[in-house]
Every structure is written in C-alpha cells, then in structure tokens.
Amino acid sequence: QSAVTTHAVSALRAIVISTGSASMLICTSPTLAALSLCTLPPIFVAARIVGRELKQQQKIVQKSLGEATSLAEQALSAITTVKLYLAEYFEAHRYAQATAKAHRIALDTAHRQAQLEGITHIGANGAVLAVLGYGGNLVLDGQLTPGDLTGFVLYSFLLAGNISSLTSVYADIARAVAASERVIDLLDRVPKIPYPTDLCQ
C-alpha cells in the first residue's frame, strides 16, 4: 500500500527536485556541474544491481514466511494428533527454525538495502567535496565568484539529498514488487489435485 502511495509521492518529489537542482547546477557552472553529476551513473548502476538482488531476496523471504505459517497451520489444525504423540516440542521447534530462517533472510535483505543507501550517501557527499575543492580553485583563479560557489554547493546538497531519497524509495519499491509477485504467483498456481467439475453441474 505504501509503495503506491507514500513512496510514489516521495519518488515523484525527489525526481522533480533533482531535475530542478541539476538544471540550476548547469546554469551556475557547467564545469562544476559535470564534476558533480559524474557520480550519478555509478549510483544508478549500483541501485539497479542491488535492486534486482533485493527483489530476489524478498521473494525468498515471502516464501519462507509462507512455509513457517504453513507449519503452524498444520500443527494447529491437527492439535489432537500432536498432543497424542507428544509432539508439541517437535512442532514448536520446527516452527522456530522456519521463523528464524525467514528472519535471517529478511536481515540479509535489510543489510543489502543499507549498503546501497550507504554507497549512495558516500557518492553524493564525495561529489560535494569534489565540488568544494575544485570550486575553491576556480574562485581563487577568478573564474567563479564566492556567491556562485555558495549557491552551487547548496544546490549540490539539495541534489544529493534527493538522489539518496530516490535510491531508498527505489529499494523499497523493489521489495514491495517482489512481495506482490509472490502473492500473484500463489494465486495463479495450478493445484496438483484437479477441482471436480461435476460438482458445478
């Protein structure tokens, strides 16, 4: 639900602000803009690669949670048989193992998303530092005024923040799409036991 409401609005806002910030960077100083924007392709490539991994891992998480729920449902639906054979500990142990597996995979997925966001922040802040260093030399040489450099740095921070936000939103949407695809796969699954058509006649 949040993927098509909150995240969609956040992504649209980040795209609009990033586009405006990039335009102002180019208008202020094309040389510094080229230096600042050169970090975007590696960030987009990393987001694409990690996004695919997050999508696959989220599918595994959904499958693991489904298996854990299935184990609990089986035990609860046949609770009389479980008590008859004194298998309460066995069933509880099986369920604990299944939930621990799902939790471990979910943590790995969260770690991958955190790595993507960390790479994005490092790249964006590194671009700002490069702009400060090179822009300072341009100010000393008289090719750029201190006011233009200050405005450029402010636009750079605005662009960096929205690019980081856009990367985070992309990762969340990739996970949401993977979860929805898992549900759709279950709904479209053909049952192994065919449904008797004679009952409908």
Side-chain angles (χ1 to χ4, degrees), residues 14-79:
I15 291 173
V16 172
I17 297 178
S18 298
T19 303
S21 301
S23 301
M24 293 303 299
L25 291 178
I26 296 174
C27 292
T28 304
S29 176
T31 304
L32 287 179
L35 178 63
S36 179
L37 298 177
C38 68
T39 59
L40 294 183
I43 291 176
F44 290 151
V45 171
R48 181 64 176 171
I49 295 174
V50 177
R52 290 179 179 176
E53 295 179 359
L54 289 176
K55 190 175 180 180
Q56 295 297 327
Q57 287 184 328
Q58 188 63 30
K59 287 184 178 179
I60 299 175
V61 170
Q62 295 296 324
K63 182 179 180 180
S64 301
L65 290 175
E67 292 174 352
T69 304
S70 177
L71 290 176
E73 183 180 358
Q74 292 174 16
L76 293 175
S77 61
I79 190 63

Side-chain angles (χ1 to χ4, degrees), residues 2-19 161-174:
S2 61
V4 296
T5 55
T6 306
H7 291 331
V9 174
S10 300
L12 181 61
R13 182 178 64 248
I15 291 173
V16 172
I17 297 178
S18 298
T19 303
N162 284 279
I163 289 297
S164 300
S165 175
L166 190 60
T167 305
S168 178
V169 169
Y170 174 76
D172 290 335
I173 291 178

Side-chain angles (χ1 to χ4, degrees), residues 69-93:
T69 304
S70 177
L71 290 176
E73 183 180 358
Q74 292 174 16
L76 293 175
S77 61
I79 190 63
T80 304
T81 305
V82 172
K83 288 186 175 182
L84 182 64
Y85 288 94
L86 302 177
E88 294 93 336
Y89 176 78
F90 173 75
E91 294 295 339
H93 182 65

